[in-house]
Amino acid sequence: MNYLSNAPKALILPAMLLAAAPTALVAQDQDMGEDRVLTTVTGSPPADMSGLTEGPEIEGLITARNGNQIQVTSSDGTSTVVTVGEGTVIKSRGGFLGLGRDRLDIDSLLNGLPVSVETVNWGRALLASDIDLKSKDLQTAAMIRGGTSQQFAQQGAAIEQNAAATEALRGRFGDIDKYNIKGTTNVYFETGKYNLSPESRAELCQAASQASGMDNALLLVVGYTDSTGTYEINQELSERRAGRVVNYLQQQCDWEPWRMLSPTGMAESDPLASNDTPEGKAQNRRVAVNILVSKSVDGI
């Protein structure tokens, strides 16, 4: 379930977008031409998937995870919920994450990782049969493993030697009031569009370059729309805009995925200007890229 706050002038970290009971899973319809529907299917995912029909292959970034479910956001901003079951094979390419083995467990599915997922249809849900972790940059993958909160317990004494840095990485999952906003870059869009202009692309890489010069800096990307269209359309459009910006920052501006907070869409909330004029609407069709530094380490 998605929760949306209409509180003005506030940055809100997105909660996990999925909620599931142990004996149920939630799946998302893939027809982008109609409203998305969350469907509940009772029972546990089958270990043997040989009798299930083949589903779509999904490529993108892991942008959320809750229990045995992951959300994968593709390059066009489309988000798909996939369930990981006992029979799911999670593989790496060429010793990915430095583990020296092909098959991994579910703890390897970290937010920000690029993946290719083969699926089967389980009722109206999608069940992952194979998950292929993809990365050409082993150093980035190692940083993801070391910087994700799910792996802190494995770091032992090395983390204890640098408590301040540890708190900075843990804090990226906390409340927004734990951060200082060191800068914001807004990029703008045409009505109903989520493609990036050449000017916006240059501004995004400038923002990434500015943030890379700050110790412990993270990026929070939030998408917005003007008041044109329905709430449902604007919510999806704002999410697509945010997803497109995140992909560009990581793929073209060399921003490490582990330093990116999960993007969110806020529809027409928190407008910069009045929606009563064309000029005001143009200012509201934006994505805000916020540079954040944890208050606990700011200045260290």
Side-chain angles (χ1 to χ4, degrees), residues 13-14 172 176 179 182-185 204-212 214 216-222 245-246 248-250 253-264 288-293:
L13 283 178
R172 67 193 180 105
I176 195 65
Y179 296 93
K182 310 299 286 187
T184 298
T185 297
L204 289 175
C205 286
Q206 289 174 5
S209 178
Q210 178 186 359
S212 65
M214 301 180 187
N216 305 305
L218 305 171
L219 292 183
L220 172 63
V221 175
V222 186
V245 167
V246 167
Y248 192 84
L249 285 167
Q250 294 178 352
C253 303
D254 299 324
W255 186 257
E256 298 93 336
W258 71 276
R259 298 179 68 185
M260 179 75 70
L261 292 161
S262 297
T264 188
V289 180
N290 303 280
I291 303 174
L292 307 180
V293 174

Side-chain angles (χ1 to χ4, degrees), residues 71 76 100 112 131 140 148 193-194 197 234 282 292:
Q71 175 178 271
D76 65 357
I131 300 178
T140 298
T148 303
K193 305 294 184 182
Y194 55 92
S197 67
N234 286 339
L292 307 180

